């Protein structure tokens, strides 16, 4: 009977669930992790942005981008506000797997969620369009950065330099290097 009392005194927390979800993910048990998260309500708890971002990251990293995007939508249905890390995690993997259409959906959902893109968001998009040799779209992203008053960083400039070099637009690559020098930013990889 004393064991029963001890169990009744155990306060289950979101952090406890988060720890178990992390362990399940590490054991490649993603679906069990999701099932475990769904049981949180039985304890009067709700999953938080950290738990969902862990799940989204794991699915996305393993190439299950559609499943990760479903989880993002589920967050919205549960009134859990995704953050920049949530979106950037998904975007980075959309870029990694060159999923242009999904990246566009993620950005639209980010705008719908009223999350302001940060420099990582913009750099990820520029990198995606650079991989796809979509120079016009990459330059549109640069314009959006400026409109949002987000300063390009060394990653932004390096990505553009590499894109222009790959497209044999060396004059434009040199212009970017000059712009970096004007902004006192040193290239670290060219």
């Amino acid at each position: 009977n004393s064991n029963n009392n001890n169990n009744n005194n155990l306060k289950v927390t979101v952090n406890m669930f988060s720890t178990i979800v992390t362990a399940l993910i590490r054991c490649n048990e993603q679906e069990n992790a999701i099932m475990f998260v769904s049981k949180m309500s039985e304890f009067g708890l709700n999953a938080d942005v950290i738990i969902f971002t862990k799940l989204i990251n794991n699915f996305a990293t393993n190439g299950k981008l559609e499943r990760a995007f479903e989880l993002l939508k589920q967050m919205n249905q549960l009134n859990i506000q995704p953050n920049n890390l949530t979106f950037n995690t998904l975007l980075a993997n959309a870029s990694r797997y060159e999923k242009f259409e999904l990246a566009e959906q993620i950005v639209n959902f980010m705008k719908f969620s009223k999350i302001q893109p940060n420099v990582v968001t913009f750099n990820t998009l520029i990198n995606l369009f650079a991989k796809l040799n979509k120079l016009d779209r990459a330059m549109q992203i640069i314009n959006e950065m400026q409109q949002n008053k987000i300063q390009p960083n060394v990653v932004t400039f390096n990505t553009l330099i590499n894109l222009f070099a790959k497209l044999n637009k060396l004059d434009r690559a040199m212009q970017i290097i000059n712009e970096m020098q004007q902004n006192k930013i040193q290239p670290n990889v060219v």
Side-chain angles (χ1 to χ4, degrees):
N1 235 355
S2 64
N3 281 347
N4 230 0
N5 289 337
N6 287 341
N7 286 341
N8 290 337
N9 292 332
L10 178 66
K11 175 143 175 51
V12 179
T13 66
V14 172
N15 281 344
M16 293 168 104
F17 272 92
S18 183
T19 301
I20 294 168
V21 166
T22 300
L24 287 168
I25 287 170
R26 286 187 182 143
C27 293
N28 206 26
E29 294 288 336
Q30 297 90 343
E31 292 301 333
N32 282 336
I34 289 173
M35 188 172 58
F36 195 74
V37 167
S38 70
K39 299 227 180 261
M40 289 179 72
S41 62
E42 294 173 20
F43 294 89
L45 300 171
N46 295 312
D48 61 9
V49 65
I50 295 167
I51 290 174
F52 269 96
T53 300
K54 285 178 185 183
L55 289 167
I56 287 168
N57 180 54
N58 186 267
F59 278 103
T61 301
N62 288 301
K64 298 176 181 175
L65 293 163
E66 297 300 330
R67 184 69 173 109
F69 193 59
E70 285 174 26
L71 287 169
L72 183 66
K73 291 177 187 174
Q74 186 179 349
M75 287 178 75
N76 186 51
Q77 292 166 353
L78 295 171
N79 293 320
I80 299 169
Q81 181 70 29
N83 58 26
N84 278 80
L85 181 59
T86 311
F87 284 105
N88 289 341
T89 297
L90 197 47
L91 269 176
N93 283 290
S95 176
R96 177 178 163 206
Y97 291 102
E98 298 183 7
K99 299 288 188 180
F100 168 73
E101 294 83 12
L102 181 61
E104 292 284 339
Q105 289 177 9
I106 295 164
V107 170
N108 289 336
F109 198 80
M110 189 175 196
K111 289 175 184 173
F112 171 79
S113 299
K114 296 184 178 27
I115 300 294
Q116 289 299 315
N118 60 19
V119 70
V120 174
T121 310
F122 286 114
N123 286 343
T124 302
L125 290 169
I126 293 166
N127 183 52
L128 171 63
F129 296 122
K131 278 185 191 178
L132 299 172
N133 294 327
K134 292 181 178 271
L135 177 60
D136 292 343
R137 192 66 181 103
M139 297 312 294
Q140 285 176 350
I141 299 299
I142 292 292
N143 290 335
E144 285 182 46
M145 281 182 85
Q146 292 168 342
Q147 289 168 3
N148 284 282
K149 297 181 179 21
I150 307 266
Q151 289 298 312
N153 63 14
V154 67
V155 174
T156 315
F157 287 116
N158 285 341
T159 303
L160 289 172
I161 291 167
N162 288 327
L163 173 60
F164 287 122
K166 187 167 78 170
L167 296 174
N168 205 25
K169 295 181 181 278
L170 301 181
D171 289 346
R172 190 66 178 105
M174 288 306 298
Q175 287 175 342
I176 298 292
I177 291 171
N178 290 334
E179 192 176 328
M180 287 180 78
Q181 290 171 340
Q182 290 169 1
N183 288 303
K184 298 184 180 11
I185 298 174
Q186 290 295 317
N188 60 7
V189 177
V190 179

